[in-house]
Amino acid sequence: MTAAPAVEETPQSRRREQRGWYWYDWANSAFPTTVLTVFLGPYLTTVAESAAKAAGSPYVPVFWFDVRPSAYYSFVVGAAAVLQIILMPMVGALADHTGRKKEIMGAFAYLGAGATVCFWFLSGDRYLLGGVLFLVASVAFAAAFVVYNSFLPEIATADERDGVSARGWGFGYLGGGLLLAIHLALFLKHESFGIAEGDAVRLALASSGLWWGGFTIIPMLRLRNRRMPDRGSETTGQALTGSFRQLGRTLRDLRNYPLTLAFLVTYLIYNDGVQTVISFSATYADKELGLDQTVRIAAILMVQFVAFGGALLLGRLAASFGAKRVVMSALVAWTLVVAAAYFLPKGSATAFFALGFAIAIVMGGTQALSRSLFSHVIPRGKEAEYYSLYEISDKGSTFLGSFTLGLALQLTDSYRLGILTLVIFFVVGLAGLAAINLPRAIRAAGNPVPERI
């Protein structure tokens, strides 16, 4: 049995929560933009190289292994992905079982923010410290994001979710882009501020944690728990055991929702393309197009701010035409953009910016509307568990897309042919999404079908 909500649900209270919910996208975007996209990888690699040089060895010791400094960050990212895949379903089950979503989300958000602040101490030969801090921060980021996503079907009606999800995603791009602009100015002009380059990087990393933790206060004040189970004096151990049992039941019951599973697989496929294009763009600009770092940094900033408008635009289009049609149209656009990348002339910054602009328009909307579509096909009361599976699809796609691109480069040694192979992810994803009967999937999950889907 679950208790009734402690506060009456009204349009006003729902909008208040939605506005608070948006701020977590603003808060946590500091981590993927400043930390993951720009600064941590090169800096942690440099720290590992310094440690290897000091030891007079081409390797650095990592537990029982000798690892090349150039490979260290990649191995850390891979280990973080494995830990996320293992822990996210557990966190989702715990959130649904206990009903204490806000507390669990806050605990992981502040754990991740605290670990990010501690990047300030990443200097000298402390590459192991950097790896451990990254593992903690990235796993906490993923766990908090699972619970954050699970609030969407609770704070928005079926007809509101596309717009709410799009505004949250767009707000995140705006916040992440604003902070990244500040950090890039600090990095590029560090001599004017009288600080060393390494100190500028550490300051950017640490202040990202402060940004993440500081703005998380707003959603913590606005969001409310719902359907609090009446579990009496259940101990922490009993809660964890109950959560594992609930997770097992959910995984078994997933076969009863074949269309929900089909959506997850379809999302994994087309998100392969999205994530791989995003992660490969800078390398493509550098190695194939011969564009310098200034152009690449400017393109990253441009994409952040244009993606804000793109997410809002696609959210508005979804209100008129339905989220499924808009996502399918976006996948057509992705196919055309990737195909166009094959023909970009070397050294043309203008062409690269035009391509980045097109990507930014569809990038945020594709992800935001996919998140809201998935919210409709989740059985009530299991939001966090199902969103943990959704995020696992995201992590799996990072692996699959990178493997496909790497295989293409291995066989052809051509960056242009490599990026062209990503078209298949969008084509197959488009066909899969078109084949799914979403109204039927929504009714099977026991949810009302929106006026436009």
Side-chain angles (χ1 to χ4, degrees):
M1 292 291 289
T2 59
V7 180
E8 182 183 359
E9 298 284 354
T10 65
Q12 292 78 14
S13 66
R14 198 167 61 246
R15 283 194 293 272
R16 184 176 186 274
E17 282 191 272
Q18 289 168 6
R19 288 191 291 268
W21 188 79
Y22 300 149
W23 278 100
Y24 189 68
D25 250 318
W26 172 284
N28 74 1
S29 290
F31 186 75
T33 52
T34 288
V35 178
L36 293 182
T37 303
V38 179
F39 286 110
L40 183 61
Y43 183 68
L44 185 56
T45 301
T46 299
V47 172
E49 288 172 346
S50 297
K53 185 177 180 181
S57 169
Y59 304 98
V60 289
V62 181
F63 299 109
W64 303 277
F65 303 97
D66 288 331
V67 177
R68 291 189 182 277
S70 59
Y72 177 61
Y73 181 66
S74 297
F75 283 128
V76 172
V77 171
V82 171
L83 288 175
Q84 289 169 352
I85 289 171
I86 293 171
L87 293 177
M88 282 191 298
M90 300 179 187
V91 172
L94 183 65
D96 285 334
H97 177 77
T98 63
R100 298 191 177 279
K101 290 185 177 182
K102 185 171 78 169
E103 292 83 355
I104 293 172
M105 172 183 151
F108 280 107
Y110 281 106
L111 176 63
T116 305
V117 170
C118 288
F119 279 128
W120 172 255
F121 302 104
L122 178 57
S123 62
D125 60 355
R126 298 173 180 169
Y127 65 95
L128 287 177
L129 173 65
V132 170
L133 289 176
F134 177 77
L135 289 176
V136 173
S138 60
V139 170
F141 173 86
F145 202 65
V146 163
V147 185
Y148 165 73
N149 282 339
S150 75
F151 274 102
L152 177 59
E154 296 183 345
I155 65 173
T157 64
D159 291 318
E160 292 174 336
R161 288 178 201 167
D162 294 337
V164 170
S165 183
R167 284 190 290 274
W169 213 283
F171 204 44
Y173 278 121
L174 185 61
L178 176 61
L179 184 64
L180 181 59
I182 295 171
H183 286 156
L184 289 174
L186 173 68
F187 176 74
L188 295 174
K189 301 291 185 180
H190 63 89
E191 292 181 352
S192 301
F193 294 106
I195 58 177
E197 182 179 292
D199 291 339
V201 172
R202 292 190 298 125
L203 187 58
L205 294 171
S207 60
S208 297
L210 293 175
W211 178 284
W212 180 2
F215 285 109
T216 295
I217 293 173
I218 300 174
M220 288 297 99
L221 293 174
R222 295 287 183 89
L223 294 173
R224 297 180 291 123
N225 291 323
R226 290 165 172 81
R227 297 194 304 274
M228 290 291 291
D230 182 13
R231 302 192 185 280
S233 57
E234 185 179 57
T235 66
T236 302
Q238 290 171 334
L240 290 172
T241 302
S243 300
F244 286 128
R245 286 199 296 266
Q246 180 169 321
L247 175 61
R249 289 193 296 269
T250 296
L251 293 175
R252 289 193 299 271
D253 290 346
L254 187 58
R255 61 190 175 188
N256 297 324
Y257 303 101
L259 293 177
T260 300
L261 180 59
F263 182 90
L264 271 174
V265 173
T266 300
Y267 171 74
L268 184 151
I269 292 170
Y270 68 72
N271 196 48
D272 275 343
V274 173
Q275 297 299 329
T276 308
V277 169
I278 292 171
S279 62
F280 185 63
S281 295
T283 303
Y284 189 72
D286 179 22
K287 302 298 183 183
E288 181 60 36
L289 303 182
L291 300 175
D292 61 28
Q293 186 181 34
T294 302
V295 172
R296 299 197 301 273
I297 288 175
I300 289 171
L301 278 177
M302 183 270 292
V303 166
Q304 287 293 127
F305 289 108
V306 175
F308 164 69
L312 297 183
L313 173 63
L314 267 64
R316 288 186 177 275
L317 291 175
S320 299
F321 302 104
K324 180 180 177 179
R325 289 180 181 176
V326 175
V327 172
M328 290 174 63
S329 300
L331 293 177
V332 172
W334 274 107
T335 303
L336 296 175
V337 165
V338 171
Y342 177 85
F343 299 100
L344 287 186
K346 273 186 173 292
S348 176
T350 301
F352 183 68
F353 274 107
L355 190 74
F357 186 90
I359 288 174
I361 290 293
V362 295
M363 179 172 65
T366 303
Q367 295 169 314
L369 294 178
S370 296
R371 176 170 68 179
S372 62
L373 280 175
F374 187 63
S375 73
H376 296 293
V377 298
I378 299 173
R380 188 176 296 273
K382 296 184 178 181
E383 294 87 357
E385 292 172 79
Y386 273 80
Y387 267 112
S388 71
L389 300 177
Y390 181 84
E391 289 299 317
I392 285 175
S393 296
D394 198 357
K395 304 307 174 188
S397 68
T398 302
F399 168 76
L400 292 173
S402 298
F403 177 79
T404 301
L405 180 61
L407 182 61
L409 291 171
Q410 176 72 17
L411 294 176
T412 67
D413 195 28
S414 168
Y415 285 98
R416 292 182 185 271
L417 289 175
I419 201 166
L420 194 61
T421 61
L422 300 180
V423 165
I424 191 170
F425 290 99
F426 300 113
V427 172
V428 174
L430 175 63
L433 187 57
I436 297 173
N437 187 330
L438 275 178
R440 182 179 174 187
I442 294 168
R443 286 191 292 267
N447 297 319
V449 179
E451 183 179 346
R452 290 184 176 87
I453 190 66

mmCIF file of all heavy atoms in Angstrom, residues 17-56:
data_model
loop_
_atom_site.group_PDB
_atom_site.id
_atom_site.type_symbol
_atom_site.label_atom_id
_atom_site.label_comp_id
_atom_site.label_asym_id
_atom_site.label_seq_id
_atom_site.Cartn_x
_atom_site.Cartn_y
_atom_site.Cartn_z
ATOM 1 N N GLU A 17 6.946 22.671 -9.169
ATOM 2 C CA GLU A 17 7.899 21.564 -9.193
ATOM 3 C C GLU A 17 8.633 21.495 -10.523
ATOM 4 O O GLU A 17 9.831 21.208 -10.563
ATOM 5 C CB GLU A 17 7.191 20.248 -8.915
ATOM 6 C CG GLU A 17 6.867 20.013 -7.459
ATOM 7 C CD GLU A 17 6.413 18.593 -7.219
ATOM 8 O OE1 GLU A 17 5.205 18.338 -7.342
ATOM 9 O OE2 GLU A 17 7.265 17.741 -6.916
ATOM 10 N N GLN A 18 7.920 21.739 -11.605
ATOM 11 C CA GLN A 18 8.561 21.695 -12.919
ATOM 12 C C GLN A 18 9.678 22.730 -13.008
ATOM 13 O O GLN A 18 10.770 22.429 -13.505
ATOM 14 C CB GLN A 18 7.518 21.951 -14.011
ATOM 15 C CG GLN A 18 6.542 20.806 -14.209
ATOM 16 C CD GLN A 18 5.363 21.187 -15.080
ATOM 17 O OE1 GLN A 18 5.318 22.293 -15.643
ATOM 18 N NE2 GLN A 18 4.383 20.306 -15.191
ATOM 19 N N ARG A 19 9.409 23.928 -12.511
ATOM 20 C CA ARG A 19 10.442 24.967 -12.547
ATOM 21 C C ARG A 19 11.646 24.579 -11.689
ATOM 22 O O ARG A 19 12.800 24.849 -12.055
ATOM 23 C CB ARG A 19 9.858 26.302 -12.088
ATOM 24 C CG ARG A 19 8.904 26.933 -13.108
ATOM 25 C CD ARG A 19 8.571 28.364 -12.730
ATOM 26 N NE ARG A 19 7.750 28.455 -11.546
ATOM 27 C CZ ARG A 19 6.428 28.489 -11.548
ATOM 28 N NH1 ARG A 19 5.754 28.440 -12.684
ATOM 29 N NH2 ARG A 19 5.748 28.586 -10.413
ATOM 30 N N GLY A 20 11.398 23.946 -10.563
ATOM 31 C CA GLY A 20 12.512 23.456 -9.750
ATOM 32 C C GLY A 20 13.264 22.336 -10.430
ATOM 33 O O GLY A 20 14.499 22.258 -10.365
ATOM 34 N N TRP A 21 12.515 21.468 -11.107
ATOM 35 C CA TRP A 21 13.109 20.318 -11.813
ATOM 36 C C TRP A 21 14.045 20.790 -12.909
ATOM 37 O O TRP A 21 15.130 20.209 -13.115
ATOM 38 C CB TRP A 21 11.976 19.477 -12.390
ATOM 39 C CG TRP A 21 12.348 18.164 -13.000
ATOM 40 C CD1 TRP A 21 12.633 16.999 -12.368
ATOM 41 C CD2 TRP A 21 12.412 17.878 -14.415
ATOM 42 N NE1 TRP A 21 12.881 15.996 -13.280
ATOM 43 C CE2 TRP A 21 12.739 16.509 -14.539
ATOM 44 C CE3 TRP A 21 12.212 18.632 -15.562
ATOM 45 C CZ2 TRP A 21 12.892 15.883 -15.777
ATOM 46 C CZ3 TRP A 21 12.354 18.018 -16.797
ATOM 47 C CH2 TRP A 21 12.691 16.659 -16.890
ATOM 48 N N TYR A 22 13.693 21.846 -13.640
ATOM 49 C CA TYR A 22 14.554 22.366 -14.701
ATOM 50 C C TYR A 22 15.944 22.723 -14.167
ATOM 51 O O TYR A 22 16.953 22.551 -14.865
ATOM 52 C CB TYR A 22 13.958 23.631 -15.333
ATOM 53 C CG TYR A 22 12.608 23.470 -15.967
ATOM 54 C CD1 TYR A 22 11.702 24.540 -15.978
ATOM 55 C CD2 TYR A 22 12.213 22.278 -16.565
ATOM 56 C CE1 TYR A 22 10.447 24.418 -16.564
ATOM 57 C CE2 TYR A 22 10.951 22.146 -17.145
ATOM 58 C CZ TYR A 22 10.077 23.226 -17.139
ATOM 59 O OH TYR A 22 8.845 23.106 -17.710
ATOM 60 N N TRP A 23 15.986 23.220 -12.948
ATOM 61 C CA TRP A 23 17.256 23.710 -12.414
ATOM 62 C C TRP A 23 18.271 22.598 -12.202
ATOM 63 O O TRP A 23 19.475 22.863 -12.176
ATOM 64 C CB TRP A 23 17.036 24.474 -11.103
ATOM 65 C CG TRP A 23 16.605 25.881 -11.323
ATOM 66 C CD1 TRP A 23 15.337 26.390 -11.248
ATOM 67 C CD2 TRP A 23 17.443 26.982 -11.691
ATOM 68 N NE1 TRP A 23 15.338 27.730 -11.541
ATOM 69 C CE2 TRP A 23 16.613 28.121 -11.817
ATOM 70 C CE3 TRP A 23 18.814 27.124 -11.922
ATOM 71 C CZ2 TRP A 23 17.115 29.372 -12.157
ATOM 72 C CZ3 TRP A 23 19.307 28.368 -12.274
ATOM 73 C CH2 TRP A 23 18.464 29.482 -12.385
ATOM 74 N N TYR A 24 17.817 21.343 -12.063
ATOM 75 C CA TYR A 24 18.825 20.291 -11.924
ATOM 76 C C TYR A 24 19.523 20.027 -13.246
ATOM 77 O O TYR A 24 20.712 19.705 -13.271
ATOM 78 C CB TYR A 24 18.230 18.990 -11.364
ATOM 79 C CG TYR A 24 19.341 18.014 -11.031
ATOM 80 C CD1 TYR A 24 20.216 18.275 -9.981
ATOM 81 C CD2 TYR A 24 19.558 16.872 -11.796
ATOM 82 C CE1 TYR A 24 21.276 17.427 -9.692
ATOM 83 C CE2 TYR A 24 20.608 16.008 -11.518
ATOM 84 C CZ TYR A 24 21.464 16.293 -10.464
ATOM 85 O OH TYR A 24 22.524 15.466 -10.189
ATOM 86 N N ASP A 25 18.807 20.163 -14.366
ATOM 87 C CA ASP A 25 19.483 20.076 -15.662
ATOM 88 C C ASP A 25 20.522 21.184 -15.787
ATOM 89 O O ASP A 25 21.630 20.965 -16.293
ATOM 90 C CB ASP A 25 18.454 20.203 -16.801
ATOM 91 C CG ASP A 25 18.260 18.895 -17.551
ATOM 92 O OD1 ASP A 25 19.259 18.213 -17.814
ATOM 93 O OD2 ASP A 25 17.116 18.545 -17.869
ATOM 94 N N TRP A 26 20.174 22.383 -15.346
ATOM 95 C CA TRP A 26 21.119 23.506 -15.337
ATOM 96 C C TRP A 26 22.333 23.173 -14.460
ATOM 97 O O TRP A 26 23.477 23.428 -14.836
ATOM 98 C CB TRP A 26 20.394 24.747 -14.822
ATOM 99 C CG TRP A 26 21.238 25.967 -14.567
ATOM 100 C CD1 TRP A 26 22.067 26.177 -13.510
ATOM 101 C CD2 TRP A 26 21.323 27.152 -15.376
ATOM 102 N NE1 TRP A 26 22.665 27.411 -13.596
ATOM 103 C CE2 TRP A 26 22.227 28.040 -14.730
ATOM 104 C CE3 TRP A 26 20.723 27.559 -16.562
ATOM 105 C CZ2 TRP A 26 22.535 29.293 -15.245
ATOM 106 C CZ3 TRP A 26 21.033 28.806 -17.071
ATOM 107 C CH2 TRP A 26 21.920 29.667 -16.426
ATOM 108 N N ALA A 27 22.074 22.595 -13.282
ATOM 109 C CA ALA A 27 23.138 22.322 -12.310
ATOM 110 C C ALA A 27 24.096 21.245 -12.796
ATOM 111 O O ALA A 27 25.321 21.436 -12.818
ATOM 112 C CB ALA A 27 22.526 21.921 -10.972
ATOM 113 N N ASN A 28 23.562 20.092 -13.203
ATOM 114 C CA ASN A 28 24.450 18.960 -13.477
ATOM 115 C C ASN A 28 25.110 19.029 -14.843
ATOM 116 O O ASN A 28 26.054 18.289 -15.121
ATOM 117 C CB ASN A 28 23.708 17.625 -13.302
ATOM 118 C CG ASN A 28 22.736 17.312 -14.431
ATOM 119 O OD1 ASN A 28 22.590 18.056 -15.394
ATOM 120 N ND2 ASN A 28 22.042 16.194 -14.303
ATOM 121 N N SER A 29 24.651 19.941 -15.721
ATOM 122 C CA SER A 29 25.274 20.056 -17.042
ATOM 123 C C SER A 29 26.715 20.526 -16.958
ATOM 124 O O SER A 29 27.478 20.390 -17.925
ATOM 125 C CB SER A 29 24.468 21.009 -17.932
ATOM 126 O OG SER A 29 23.234 20.423 -18.279
ATOM 127 N N ALA A 30 27.110 21.095 -15.821
ATOM 128 C CA ALA A 30 28.509 21.483 -15.637
ATOM 129 C C ALA A 30 29.433 20.274 -15.771
ATOM 130 O O ALA A 30 30.560 20.400 -16.269
ATOM 131 C CB ALA A 30 28.698 22.123 -14.258
ATOM 132 N N PHE A 31 28.980 19.111 -15.333
ATOM 133 C CA PHE A 31 29.842 17.930 -15.355
ATOM 134 C C PHE A 31 30.091 17.415 -16.777
ATOM 135 O O PHE A 31 31.255 17.253 -17.180
ATOM 136 C CB PHE A 31 29.257 16.829 -14.467
ATOM 137 C CG PHE A 31 30.150 15.629 -14.316
ATOM 138 C CD1 PHE A 31 31.270 15.677 -13.503
ATOM 139 C CD2 PHE A 31 29.865 14.448 -14.981
ATOM 140 C CE1 PHE A 31 32.108 14.576 -13.363
ATOM 141 C CE2 PHE A 31 30.692 13.340 -14.850
ATOM 142 C CZ PHE A 31 31.815 13.402 -14.039
ATOM 143 N N PRO A 32 29.054 17.151 -17.590
ATOM 144 C CA PRO A 32 29.353 16.653 -18.937
ATOM 145 C C PRO A 32 30.007 17.680 -19.846
ATOM 146 O O PRO A 32 30.768 17.304 -20.748
ATOM 147 C CB PRO A 32 27.969 16.228 -19.473
ATOM 148 C CG PRO A 32 26.992 16.960 -18.648
ATOM 149 C CD PRO A 32 27.614 17.125 -17.305
ATOM 150 N N THR A 33 29.723 18.976 -19.660
ATOM 151 C CA THR A 33 30.303 19.974 -20.572
ATOM 152 C C THR A 33 31.743 20.310 -20.197
ATOM 153 O O THR A 33 32.677 20.026 -20.946
ATOM 154 C CB THR A 33 29.442 21.245 -20.592
ATOM 155 O OG1 THR A 33 29.209 21.704 -19.251
ATOM 156 C CG2 THR A 33 28.121 20.990 -21.267
ATOM 157 N N THR A 34 31.932 20.916 -19.029
ATOM 158 C CA THR A 34 33.282 21.345 -18.637
ATOM 159 C C THR A 34 34.190 20.161 -18.331
ATOM 160 O O THR A 34 35.327 20.094 -18.822
ATOM 161 C CB THR A 34 33.207 22.265 -17.409
ATOM 162 O OG1 THR A 34 32.664 23.531 -17.808
ATOM 163 C CG2 THR A 34 34.585 22.505 -16.817
ATOM 164 N N VAL A 35 33.711 19.205 -17.525
ATOM 165 C CA VAL A 35 34.580 18.118 -17.059
ATOM 166 C C VAL A 35 34.816 17.084 -18.155
ATOM 167 O O VAL A 35 35.966 16.786 -18.511
ATOM 168 C CB VAL A 35 33.982 17.458 -15.794
ATOM 169 C CG1 VAL A 35 34.858 16.290 -15.344
ATOM 170 C CG2 VAL A 35 33.855 18.485 -14.670
ATOM 171 N N LEU A 36 33.747 16.516 -18.697
ATOM 172 C CA LEU A 36 33.892 15.406 -19.638
ATOM 173 C C LEU A 36 34.299 15.859 -21.041
ATOM 174 O O LEU A 36 35.200 15.293 -21.651
ATOM 175 C CB LEU A 36 32.588 14.614 -19.721
ATOM 176 C CG LEU A 36 32.173 13.837 -18.473
ATOM 177 C CD1 LEU A 36 30.892 13.068 -18.747
ATOM 178 C CD2 LEU A 36 33.275 12.874 -18.056
ATOM 179 N N THR A 37 33.618 16.876 -21.554
ATOM 180 C CA THR A 37 33.818 17.242 -22.952
ATOM 181 C C THR A 37 35.142 17.947 -23.202
ATOM 182 O O THR A 37 35.780 17.733 -24.233
ATOM 183 C CB THR A 37 32.661 18.140 -23.437
ATOM 184 O OG1 THR A 37 31.418 17.457 -23.232
ATOM 185 C CG2 THR A 37 32.800 18.477 -24.912
ATOM 186 N N VAL A 38 35.592 18.774 -22.261
ATOM 187 C CA VAL A 38 36.720 19.653 -22.563
ATOM 188 C C VAL A 38 37.972 19.369 -21.742
ATOM 189 O O VAL A 38 39.042 19.119 -22.291
ATOM 190 C CB VAL A 38 36.303 21.137 -22.400
ATOM 191 C CG1 VAL A 38 37.485 22.066 -22.683
ATOM 192 C CG2 VAL A 38 35.140 21.457 -23.328
ATOM 193 N N PHE A 39 37.881 19.390 -20.416
ATOM 194 C CA PHE A 39 39.096 19.553 -19.621
ATOM 195 C C PHE A 39 39.692 18.277 -19.020
ATOM 196 O O PHE A 39 40.911 18.129 -18.994
ATOM 197 C CB PHE A 39 38.837 20.554 -18.483
ATOM 198 C CG PHE A 39 38.751 21.977 -18.945
ATOM 199 C CD1 PHE A 39 37.549 22.653 -18.931
ATOM 200 C CD2 PHE A 39 39.874 22.640 -19.424
ATOM 201 C CE1 PHE A 39 37.456 23.969 -19.365
ATOM 202 C CE2 PHE A 39 39.805 23.951 -19.859
ATOM 203 C CZ PHE A 39 38.582 24.620 -19.834
ATOM 204 N N LEU A 40 38.878 17.377 -18.482
ATOM 205 C CA LEU A 40 39.451 16.318 -17.651
ATOM 206 C C LEU A 40 40.323 15.345 -18.434
ATOM 207 O O LEU A 40 41.417 14.984 -17.974
ATOM 208 C CB LEU A 40 38.357 15.550 -16.905
ATOM 209 C CG LEU A 40 38.893 14.479 -15.952
ATOM 210 C CD1 LEU A 40 39.767 15.107 -14.859
ATOM 211 C CD2 LEU A 40 37.764 13.669 -15.332
ATOM 212 N N GLY A 41 39.861 14.889 -19.604
ATOM 213 C CA GLY A 41 40.624 13.890 -20.353
ATOM 214 C C GLY A 41 42.053 14.321 -20.645
ATOM 215 O O GLY A 41 43.009 13.626 -20.277
ATOM 216 N N PRO A 42 42.256 15.471 -21.311
ATOM 217 C CA PRO A 42 43.639 15.900 -21.588
ATOM 218 C C PRO A 42 44.456 16.152 -20.317
ATOM 219 O O PRO A 42 45.640 15.806 -20.261
ATOM 220 C CB PRO A 42 43.444 17.200 -22.377
ATOM 221 C CG PRO A 42 42.075 17.095 -22.957
ATOM 222 C CD PRO A 42 41.270 16.340 -21.942
ATOM 223 N N TYR A 43 43.810 16.726 -19.289
ATOM 224 C CA TYR A 43 44.570 17.065 -18.085
ATOM 225 C C TYR A 43 44.971 15.814 -17.306
ATOM 226 O O TYR A 43 46.119 15.691 -16.846
ATOM 227 C CB TYR A 43 43.756 17.996 -17.191
ATOM 228 C CG TYR A 43 44.512 18.459 -15.961
ATOM 229 C CD1 TYR A 43 45.597 19.320 -16.066
ATOM 230 C CD2 TYR A 43 44.156 18.017 -14.691
ATOM 231 C CE1 TYR A 43 46.308 19.741 -14.951
ATOM 232 C CE2 TYR A 43 44.854 18.430 -13.562
ATOM 233 C CZ TYR A 43 45.926 19.289 -13.703
ATOM 234 O OH TYR A 43 46.629 19.696 -12.593
ATOM 235 N N LEU A 44 44.053 14.856 -17.149
ATOM 236 C CA LEU A 44 44.374 13.631 -16.420
ATOM 237 C C LEU A 44 45.443 12.839 -17.168
ATOM 238 O O LEU A 44 46.325 12.226 -16.547
ATOM 239 C CB LEU A 44 43.115 12.789 -16.223
ATOM 240 C CG LEU A 44 43.269 11.525 -15.377
ATOM 241 C CD1 LEU A 44 43.838 11.840 -13.999
ATOM 242 C CD2 LEU A 44 41.926 10.801 -15.246
ATOM 243 N N THR A 45 45.405 12.864 -18.498
ATOM 244 C CA THR A 45 46.440 12.198 -19.293
ATOM 245 C C THR A 45 47.795 12.852 -19.060
ATOM 246 O O THR A 45 48.819 12.163 -18.920
ATOM 247 C CB THR A 45 46.077 12.250 -20.783
ATOM 248 O OG1 THR A 45 44.812 11.597 -20.984
ATOM 249 C CG2 THR A 45 47.134 11.549 -21.623
ATOM 250 N N THR A 46 47.808 14.180 -18.977
ATOM 251 C CA THR A 46 49.057 14.898 -18.706
ATOM 252 C C THR A 46 49.616 14.541 -17.336
ATOM 253 O O THR A 46 50.830 14.351 -17.169
ATOM 254 C CB THR A 46 48.821 16.416 -18.796
ATOM 255 O OG1 THR A 46 48.377 16.740 -20.121
ATOM 256 C CG2 THR A 46 50.092 17.192 -18.483
ATOM 257 N N VAL A 47 48.738 14.441 -16.339
ATOM 258 C CA VAL A 47 49.177 14.065 -14.984
ATOM 259 C C VAL A 47 49.775 12.662 -15.004
ATOM 260 O O VAL A 47 50.820 12.405 -14.381
ATOM 261 C CB VAL A 47 47.995 14.152 -13.997
ATOM 262 C CG1 VAL A 47 48.381 13.565 -12.634
ATOM 263 C CG2 VAL A 47 47.543 15.601 -13.831
ATOM 264 N N ALA A 48 49.132 11.738 -15.725
ATOM 265 C CA ALA A 48 49.658 10.372 -15.822
ATOM 266 C C ALA A 48 50.999 10.360 -16.550
ATOM 267 O O ALA A 48 51.924 9.620 -16.167
ATOM 268 C CB ALA A 48 48.650 9.476 -16.541
ATOM 269 N N GLU A 49 51.144 11.177 -17.580
ATOM 270 C CA GLU A 49 52.415 11.255 -18.303
ATOM 271 C C GLU A 49 53.524 11.801 -17.391
ATOM 272 O O GLU A 49 54.670 11.323 -17.450
ATOM 273 C CB GLU A 49 52.249 12.159 -19.527
ATOM 274 C CG GLU A 49 51.426 11.527 -20.642
ATOM 275 C CD GLU A 49 51.099 12.504 -21.755
ATOM 276 O OE1 GLU A 49 51.275 13.727 -21.543
ATOM 277 O OE2 GLU A 49 50.660 12.048 -22.827
ATOM 278 N N SER A 50 53.192 12.768 -16.547
ATOM 279 C CA SER A 50 54.185 13.317 -15.613
ATOM 280 C C SER A 50 54.636 12.249 -14.625
ATOM 281 O O SER A 50 55.825 12.155 -14.289
ATOM 282 C CB SER A 50 53.586 14.507 -14.864
ATOM 283 O OG SER A 50 53.257 15.556 -15.748
ATOM 284 N N ALA A 51 53.692 11.428 -14.157
ATOM 285 C CA ALA A 51 54.038 10.359 -13.227
ATOM 286 C C ALA A 51 54.944 9.327 -13.901
ATOM 287 O O ALA A 51 55.911 8.837 -13.298
ATOM 288 C CB ALA A 51 52.768 9.699 -12.703
ATOM 289 N N ALA A 52 54.637 8.988 -15.147
ATOM 290 C CA ALA A 52 55.461 8.014 -15.868
ATOM 291 C C ALA A 52 56.861 8.567 -16.112
ATOM 292 O O ALA A 52 57.869 7.861 -15.959
ATOM 293 C CB ALA A 52 54.790 7.659 -17.195
ATOM 294 N N LYS A 53 56.928 9.837 -16.478
ATOM 295 C CA LYS A 53 58.229 10.466 -16.725
ATOM 296 C C LYS A 53 59.070 10.512 -15.459
ATOM 297 O O LYS A 53 60.286 10.243 -15.488
ATOM 298 C CB LYS A 53 58.016 11.887 -17.266
ATOM 299 C CG LYS A 53 59.295 12.592 -17.663
ATOM 300 C CD LYS A 53 59.004 13.963 -18.252
ATOM 301 C CE LYS A 53 60.294 14.672 -18.641
ATOM 302 N NZ LYS A 53 60.012 16.024 -19.208
ATOM 303 N N ALA A 54 58.430 10.834 -14.330
ATOM 304 C CA ALA A 54 59.156 10.896 -13.058
ATOM 305 C C ALA A 54 59.693 9.533 -12.663
ATOM 306 O O ALA A 54 60.758 9.429 -12.033
ATOM 307 C CB ALA A 54 58.239 11.442 -11.965
ATOM 308 N N ALA A 55 58.955 8.475 -13.037
ATOM 309 C CA ALA A 55 59.390 7.119 -12.704
ATOM 310 C C ALA A 55 60.344 6.546 -13.749
ATOM 311 O O ALA A 55 60.846 5.420 -13.579
ATOM 312 C CB ALA A 55 58.167 6.208 -12.562
ATOM 313 N N GLY A 56 60.563 7.269 -14.841
ATOM 314 C CA GLY A 56 61.440 6.778 -15.898
ATOM 315 C C GLY A 56 60.897 5.549 -16.592
ATOM 316 O O GLY A 56 61.647 4.664 -17.001
#
